């Protein structure tokens, strides 16, 4: 008797209270820090995810289109270079953009497994159901976890493995966090595995600021949505209208920063944390960094993390880069 294993599996590695605990810890430490800050991961409740989807279609927000342009042109080349048996994706979300890689690897005849990793079980379940329907020979092995604390590739995933980290999410990590990420990833990679990394590039600051402060105000609503998340999840009493969206270019660190500016002196209570937080008028609370990269410095920091860049592609306007890196010998 032959027993076939299911083509879609979901391994939930997060404790049931992981996100609630992480939110409490992040908010308690961020609101009592000087200056105040919140991690960008808390933008993405259901409404925040919808808003970000709108952002990707805005005229000012080029990164999604630029990365897709590169993938459309280079996916067959990436498939030929990597001959990947497994496509492993960090922070996969809906996996829509990934289909360009799935199509190319399927056409090349090497792919048998797609292994997405995300903190959202619902996003993985929806994407997995669609993918096993649309790719009849594909096995989808999804993992619910946080790659910053648990970066483990599925042990039975056939090699070579192509690890995709797209969308310039790498830019949300500061240099120390990126160094730790590269070291952690390097420990999990075999000699024939490959990293595919998406990175937004340094360019005219006006173009960068407009991408994070659009004329329609969608990014402003997205930024302020984090306050609604805290009000709902921690019974906080943030007045969303008492804060303004700010996007600025940090020239020294070559990164866009998103902040919320307090429009008046105010005190916010967070009962779930037994916390009372004072904001001065015009005080900034940072909610996101988005680092921008140059080829030489990004190649150097990858090398310091044990990864050697083999291929580097950009869109026609040189706004965004995709690179292939392999474990250093």
């Amino acid at each position: 008797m032959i027993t076939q294993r299911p083509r879609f599996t979901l391994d939930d590695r997060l404790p049931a209270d992981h996100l609630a605990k992480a939110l409490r810890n992040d908010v308690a430490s961020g609101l009592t820090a000087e200056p105040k800050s919140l991690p960008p991961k808390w933008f993405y409740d259901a409404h925040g995810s919808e808003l970000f989807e709108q952002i990707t279609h805005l005229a000012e927000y080029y990164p999604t289109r630029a990365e897709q342009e590169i993938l459309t042109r280079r996916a067959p080349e990436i498939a030929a270079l990597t001959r990947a048996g497994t496509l492993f994706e960090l922070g996969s979300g809906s996996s829509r953009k990934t289909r360009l890689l799935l199509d190319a690897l399927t056409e090349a005849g090497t792919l048998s497994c797609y292994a997405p990793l995300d903190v959202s079980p619902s996003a993985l379940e929806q994407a997995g159901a669609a993918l096993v329907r649309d790719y009849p020979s594909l096995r989808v092995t999804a993992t619910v976890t946080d790659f910053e604390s648990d970066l483990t590739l599925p042990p039975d995933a056939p090699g070579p493995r192509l690890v995709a980290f797209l969308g310039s999410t790498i830019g949300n990590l500061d240099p120390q966090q990126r160094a730790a990420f590269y070291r952690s990833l390097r420990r999990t990679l075999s000699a024939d595995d490959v990293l595919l990394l998406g990175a937004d590039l340094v360019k005219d600051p006006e173009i960068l600021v407009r991408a994070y402060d659009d004329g329609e105000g969608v990014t402003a609503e997205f930024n302020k949505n984090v306050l609604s998340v805290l009000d709902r999840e921690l019974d906080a009493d943030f007045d969303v209208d008492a804060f303004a969206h700010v996007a600025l270019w940090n020239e020294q660190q070559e990164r866009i920063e998103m902040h919320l500016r307090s429009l008046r002196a105010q005190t916010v209570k967070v009962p779930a944390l037994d916390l009372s937080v004072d904001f001065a008028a015009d005080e900034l609370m940072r909610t996101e960094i988005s680092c921008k990269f140059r080829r030489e410095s990004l190649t150097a920091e990858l090398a310091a993390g044990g990864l050697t860049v083999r291929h580097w592609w950009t869109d026609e306007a040189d706004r965004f880069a995709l690179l292939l890196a392999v474990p250093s010998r």
Side-chain angles (χ1 to χ4, degrees):
M1 179 178 179
I2 299 176
T3 302
Q4 290 187 330
R5 60 180 170 178
R7 288 180 47 229
F8 173 66
T9 59
L10 183 70
D11 178 18
D12 193 337
R13 299 168 63 98
L14 293 180
D17 60 350
H18 172 81
L19 291 179
K21 279 187 174 180
L23 176 63
R24 286 169 176 259
N25 290 339
D26 287 346
V27 173
S29 60
L31 292 185
T32 56
E34 184 60 44
K36 298 180 180 69
S37 66
L38 293 171
K41 69 173 74 171
W42 304 115
F43 288 139
Y44 296 96
D45 65 348
H47 182 55
S49 297
E50 291 172 2
L51 288 171
F52 183 71
E53 183 66 22
Q54 293 179 38
I55 288 170
T56 64
H57 297 287
L58 294 170
E60 299 98 326
Y61 192 79
Y62 63 85
T64 302
R65 290 189 300 276
E67 185 176 48
Q68 185 144 348
E69 176 189 323
I70 305 168
L71 281 170
T72 299
R73 290 170 46 216
R74 299 296 184 176
E77 185 178 353
I78 293 167
L81 287 165
T82 63
R83 305 291 296 170
T86 297
L87 174 59
F88 180 83
E89 186 173 12
L90 305 177
S92 57
S94 65
S95 301
R96 281 196 296 273
K97 190 163 39 179
T98 317
R99 286 175 178 255
L100 292 164
L101 291 169
L102 293 175
D103 289 344
L105 289 164
T106 300
E107 179 68 23
T110 63
L111 186 70
S112 61
C113 180
Y114 172 55
L117 181 153
D118 201 272
V119 295
S120 171
S122 60
L124 290 170
E125 288 169 355
Q126 292 173 16
L131 291 171
V132 295
R133 180 192 65 228
D134 296 342
Y135 297 85
S137 62
L138 186 66
R139 179 164 61 93
V140 178
T141 305
T143 304
V144 182
T145 193
D146 184 342
F147 71 82
E148 287 191 63
S149 57
D150 177 22
L151 183 54
T152 305
L153 306 189
D156 61 342
R161 296 175 296 186
L162 174 60
V163 180
F165 194 25
L166 303 176
S168 201
T169 306
I170 191 69
N172 295 142
L173 307 180
D174 65 27
Q176 293 75 29
Q177 291 171 318
R178 294 199 301 272
F181 168 74
Y182 299 140
R183 290 193 300 268
S184 176
L185 179 62
R186 177 62 186 86
R187 288 193 295 269
T188 69
L189 294 179
S190 302
D192 58 351
D193 294 337
V194 181
L195 169 67
L196 177 65
L197 182 66
D200 197 11
L201 302 178
V202 174
K203 58 184 68 65
D204 183 342
E206 289 189 12
I207 294 173
L208 287 165
V209 171
R210 282 199 302 271
Y212 293 83
D213 193 10
D214 63 278
E216 296 180 36
V218 182
T219 311
E221 185 180 353
F222 173 70
N223 192 8
K224 293 200 284 185
N225 182 62
V226 72
L227 302 180
S228 299
V229 171
L230 303 194
D231 285 350
R232 183 183 67 245
E233 300 297 332
L234 299 177
D235 200 26
D237 64 352
F238 279 97
D239 178 358
V240 175
D241 293 330
F243 290 84
H245 167 66
V246 176
L248 56 86
W249 172 243
N250 184 325
E251 180 71 35
Q252 182 178 5
Q253 301 192 54
E254 294 193 319
R255 69 189 192 191
I256 284 286
E257 297 178 358
M258 293 210 313
H259 298 260
L260 290 170
R261 179 170 61 86
S262 179
L263 296 177
R264 53 179 168 79
Q266 56 182 308
T267 299
V268 175
K269 291 181 171 56
V270 189
L273 302 177
D274 193 23
L275 190 63
S276 181
V277 184
D278 293 326
F279 286 85
D282 294 322
E283 181 178 351
L284 295 177
M285 175 172 63
R286 196 182 71 205
T287 52
E288 183 179 65
I289 63 170
S290 186
C291 299
K292 308 306 173 185
F293 299 94
R294 299 179 187 272
R295 181 171 185 169
E296 183 176 331
S297 57
L298 181 54
T299 299
E301 71 175 52
L302 283 160
L307 297 161
T308 300
V309 175
R310 293 293 190 211
H311 298 274
W312 176 283
W313 303 286
T314 66
D315 62 301
E316 289 289 346
D318 289 323
R319 298 168 297 179
F320 199 96
L322 272 184
L323 62 91
L324 281 181
V326 299
S328 304
R329 304 303 184 201

